Amino acid sequence: MKSVQWHDTHITILNQQALPHKTEYLELKNIKDVWDAIVTLKVRGAPAIGMTAAYGLALAAKSYETNDLAQFHAELKRDRDYLASSRPTAVNLFWALDRLMKSVAQAKSVNEAKTTLIHEAICIQVEDEDVCRRIGEHALSLFQDGDRIMTICNAGAIATARYGTALAPFHLAKEKGMTLHAYACETRPVLQGARLTAWELSQAGVDVTLITDNMAAQTMKAKHISAVIVGADRIAANGDTANKIGTFGLAILAKAFRIPFYVAAPLSTIDLQTKTGDDIPIEERAKEEVTHIGGVRIAPDVNVYNPAFDVTPHELITGIITEKGIIFGDYATKLPTLFEEVFA
C-alpha cells in the first residue's frame, strides 16, 4: 500500500485521517491541496511528509508559465517557503524541499528544471523504501523471537515509502517467520497508535496489542516488555530527539524498568545544524484535538495546551538506528560520522 504516489497531473495520497474506518485515496491537484493535506494530517509521518512536499513543489513548478530562469527560481523559492510553513518540527519536510531546490540550481532551462524536479522527487521516494528496509534489518538484529516491544504513534509503512522506521522490524520479522509482539500506545490526542499502527500491523498479520497511553508503566511491568522502539521527527546533533508527544514519558519509564529505548530514523531526520533539543521548534495544534474526539466534544471549553511533539534527551536513548547502522551513546561525536560517506 503506497501512502504517496506521483501522477503526471496530480499526487495521490492515502487519507490517514479516514483510517481505520475506510481506505480512501485523495487527489492533490495543486500546491494548496498539498499544504492542506500536510497541515490536517491527511498525510503524516516525517518521511511521507517530505515525499509529499517534494512532489508538491514539482507539481507547482509544472504550472509556471515563465521561460525566464530567474523568474522560475523566484517562484520556486516562494512555493518552497509556502510548503515549508505547513509543519515546523519534522525536518524531513525542509530536507526534501531543499534537496529539490539544490537539484535545479545549475539547470540551463526552465524545461530542464521542471523535469529535474520531478525526477528528484521520485528518487526521494525510491530511496526511502531502501532506507526503511535497511533500518528494519538493523533494528531486527536487536530483538529475539518472541520479544514484546512497545511503540507509540505510527512510524510505519503508511508514514514512509514502505516498511516504516520503528515498525520496519515488525514487518521484516513477519517476512522472515519470526514473531515479535507489538504493544501500541494509542497516542492521544489524535490516536495515531490506535487508528494507524494497530490497523497497519493487524493488516500485515503482526500480533499487536493496543493500550491507552497511561497504561504504559503497568504494561511494561505486567507484560515483561523487552524494549521500546519509536520513530523521530527531528534528531539534534547531540542525539536529543523530537517525536510524537508521549515519547519522552516512555523513555523515562523505560529507564525506570531498565528496558532499552531505541529511536529508528533515516539520516534525513538527523539535523546537525540543530545543536540540542532546546533548539527544536515544537508545533502546537488546535485545542479541538483535545476537547473533541470524532467531532464530538468530550471536555468543557477551557484552556488547552496541545504540543504535538516532545523531546527525549539523548541520555535516555539506548541507541539510534539508521540505514547506516546503530550507534550507542556519545551521539554528538558519532552522529556526524554517519554523513562522512554520504558527502565524501
Side-chain angles (χ1 to χ4, degrees), residues 190-204:
V190 188
L191 301 173
Q192 294 96 325
R195 294 188 303 105
L196 305 178
T197 291
W199 176 84
E200 177 182 323
L201 292 180
S202 63
Q203 290 286 307

Side-chain angles (χ1 to χ4, degrees), residues 227-239:
V228 177
I229 187 168
V230 302
D233 286 83
R234 187 183 302 218
I235 299 173
N238 71 338

Side-chain angles (χ1 to χ4, degrees), residues 167 271 306:
L167 297 192
D271 181 8
N306 184 22

Side-chain angles (χ1 to χ4, degrees), residues 45 47 69 105 140 151 162 169 176 185 200 215 232 246 282 284 286 308 340:
L69 264 176
L140 197 57
T151 191
R162 191 180 178 190
K176 298 173 183 291
C185 296
E200 177 182 323
M215 295 175 183
I282 299 299
E284 292 187 33
E340 292 176 357

Side-chain angles (χ1 to χ4, degrees), residues 38 43 45-56 90 92-97 100 124:
I38 295 172
V43 62
I49 288 172
M51 291 186 295
T52 304
Y55 282 138
N92 300 65
L93 169 66
F94 309 98
W95 170 84
L97 291 171
L100 258 66
I124 288 174

Side-chain angles (χ1 to χ4, degrees), residues 45-67:
I49 288 172
M51 291 186 295
T52 304
Y55 282 138
L57 190 60
L59 184 66
K62 283 191 66 179
S63 68
Y64 300 166
E65 296 181 355
T66 183
N67 287 316

Side-chain angles (χ1 to χ4, degrees), residues 178-231:
M178 179 179 171
T179 299
L180 294 180
H181 304 281
Y183 284 78
C185 296
E186 65 174 350
T187 320
R188 278 283 285 150
V190 188
L191 301 173
Q192 294 96 325
R195 294 188 303 105
L196 305 178
T197 291
W199 176 84
E200 177 182 323
L201 292 180
S202 63
Q203 290 286 307
V206 175
D207 179 69
V208 57
T209 300
L210 178 64
I211 63 171
T212 63
D213 298 338
N214 54 358
M215 295 175 183
Q218 173 62 17
T219 303
M220 288 181 181
K221 178 182 178 181
K223 297 299 182 181
H224 307 291
I225 298 300
S226 312
V228 177
I229 187 168
V230 302

